[in-house]
Amino acid sequence: MTKGRIAALVGPEKVEIKSFDVPEPEPGAVVLGVRRANVCGSDVHQWHYESPALREAGLGHEFVGEVVALGEGVETDFAGEPVAIGDRVVAVYYLTCHRCGPCRRGQFNLCTRGLASWSVNPEVAPHFRSGFATHYYVQPGQFFYKVPDRVDDAAAAGANCGLAQMLFVLDALEVKAGETLVVQGAGGLGLYATAAARERGVRVIVVDGVADRLELARRFGAARTVDMTEHPTAQARAEVVREATGGADAVLEATGVSAAFAEAIELARPGGRIASVGNLDARPEADVAVSPGLLTRKSLTVKGVLRYDPNYLHRAVAFLARNPELPLGSLTDSAYPLDDVVEALHRGEQRSVARVAIVP
Ligand SMILES: [Zn+2]
Ligand SMILES: [Zn+2]
């Protein structure tokens, strides 16, 4: 039997590389060899034990793999494309039970059992339920899609978190051609949102405080950038956006910084829309004061958006195939072997780097 290795979180900021036999896939399952996995902000939170749902679990969820074994009955991906050993695929990192309240309402992104498999200790078979590993076990019923040859691993690895979620958020915000979208934060999420909105004919303004990230934002299609070091207060930044646009039609908060949400309320025009997606922080110290009166007077719509509907991963792969000119390689500017996962997490935590990758 082949042995595989996986980065297991065993305590706050304690990671062990564990070794297990790679299981044979049960009917409906697929075993992948991981080719590349990204360090996402939520992996860093999980590593710090800030994710109550994911403690003694595997780390990593943004990845692309290669089919090494197909369970009985698996002939196609979830878009009906034939799959064979050696094909590269991306998998939706959470499960959809199809039975809980949200699933019954068709809100698959909110499945209450979404993390039920991932949160299991890797000691328990089939062990490989997370991306920082040599292998990954796609469970029966777990959505996965084939990656076209023209989409390389660096581009595909980010599809199943950041990109799919941003495509979902843009639909939730109903941004249309000719509108102005302000994206707060030029990390992976913000850059994907910028590229996807621009493809729809939306004018994108990106706010961030790191020059390299703003430069990347322009390469991803931002019509304009606002440097927080040049405009240090929320009021100053809102003034820049107002002068340029009269107020944004929509604002997408992709920073994970709570103060950005209060600022989004300032940035949106009367009647505008705000999406809160970058922030998952449940700690009381992450709360901020907002003015309900201002929300009322401006008649704003606020949407919180968690994960994405699984079919958006298919759209994400198609988006990548349509947009080969995007500098997605710049999104992951450094790669580490699995043994250096802790160093990769440290690097991933530094805001100057958009994404760090693990190539097991
Ligand atoms: Zn992620
Ligand atoms: Zn469910």
Side-chain angles (χ1 to χ4, degrees):
M1 243 184 180
T2 314
K3 285 272 184 196
R5 300 162 74 238
I6 181 166
L9 192 61
V10 295
E13 286 149 52
K14 284 207 182 75
V15 180
E16 276 176 22
I17 307 292
K18 296 191 173 182
S19 180
F20 301 104
D21 288 335
V22 177
E24 291 294 323
E26 68 199 283
V30 180
V31 175
L32 307 179
V34 175
R35 292 173 61 93
R36 190 178 178 101
N38 289 343
V39 176
C40 170
S42 16
D43 298 317
V44 174
H45 288 301
Q46 187 190 342
W47 174 55
H48 287 304
Y49 253 43
E50 287 163 10
S51 169
L54 295 167
R55 289 272 156 100
E56 284 170 34
L59 280 160
H61 59 282
E62 292 194 20
F63 63 94
V64 54
E66 179 181 318
V67 176
V68 296
L70 290 166
E72 196 191 312
V74 183
E75 287 165 5
T76 67
D77 70 5
F78 277 66
E81 286 284 314
V83 280
I85 306 290
D87 282 346
R88 291 180 310 138
V89 301
V90 285
V92 173
Y93 64 87
Y94 59 89
L95 291 171
T96 47
C97 77
H98 294 226
R99 288 163 179 78
C100 69
C103 279
R104 290 202 309 273
R105 291 190 290 271
Q107 294 173 311
F108 295 113
N109 60 312
L110 301 179
C111 176
T112 58
R113 298 192 39 80
L115 303 182
S117 164
W118 182 9
S119 59
V120 175
N121 191 312
E123 294 286 342
V124 180
H127 316 296
F128 299 96
R129 303 178 186 86
S130 51
F132 298 169
T134 55
H135 294 79
Y136 185 90
Y137 191 92
V138 183
Q139 316 249 343
Q142 184 174 358
F143 287 73
F144 71 91
Y145 299 102
K146 210 157 120 173
V147 177
D149 290 342
R150 60 187 176 281
V151 177
D152 66 19
D153 286 347
N160 72 350
C161 176
L163 178 56
Q165 196 195 5
M166 290 305 105
L167 294 173
F168 186 58
V169 169
L170 293 179
D171 280 349
L173 269 179
E174 297 176 39
V175 287
K176 295 176 281 291
E179 287 195 317
T180 299
L181 171 73
V182 171
V183 174
Q184 298 172 290
L189 290 181
L191 294 170
Y192 285 134
T194 299
R198 145 86 181 255
E199 193 198 38
R200 295 175 180 205
V202 173
R203 181 169 182 246
V204 184
I205 300 177
V206 176
V207 182
D208 198 285
V210 179
D212 287 353
R213 287 156 62 111
L214 290 171
E215 167 60 29
L216 257 183
R218 289 188 287 273
R219 289 173 62 200
F220 272 75
R224 181 163 185 170
T225 52
V226 179
D227 188 336
M228 295 171 74
T229 60
E230 276 171 41
H231 306 280
T233 66
Q235 288 71 25
R237 295 188 284 273
E239 195 50 45
V240 173
V241 170
R242 254 194 308 276
E243 271 171 22
T245 67
D249 298 298
V251 183
L252 197 162
E253 188 289 298
T255 65
V257 177
S258 298
F261 178 73
E263 185 168 335
I265 296 170
E266 299 288 340
L267 293 168
R269 67 161 165 79
R273 295 96 70 196
I274 296 170
S276 176
V277 294
N279 199 332
L280 291 157
D281 204 331
R283 296 170 304 158
E285 58 266 40
D287 292 350
V288 288
V290 298
S291 161
L294 185 57
L295 282 174
T296 310
R297 292 197 303 279
K298 291 182 85 169
S299 288
L300 298 178
T301 302
V302 177
K303 291 208 174 229
V305 185
L306 180 71
R307 303 187 204 133
Y308 54 89
D309 187 285
N311 77 77
Y312 276 77
L313 181 55
H314 188 235
R315 302 181 199 211
V317 170
F319 173 87
L320 293 172
R322 273 199 314 273
N323 291 282
E325 77 294 344
L326 285 175
L328 288 157
S330 329
L331 269 186
T332 50
D333 61 356
S334 49
Y336 292 83
L338 185 59
D339 286 307
D340 296 341
V341 59
V342 170
E343 200 186 330
L345 286 159
H346 277 294
R347 279 297 305 282
E349 202 167 13
Q350 292 163 9
R351 284 179 54 84
S352 60
V353 181
R355 279 284 197 275
V356 170
I358 290 172
V359 178

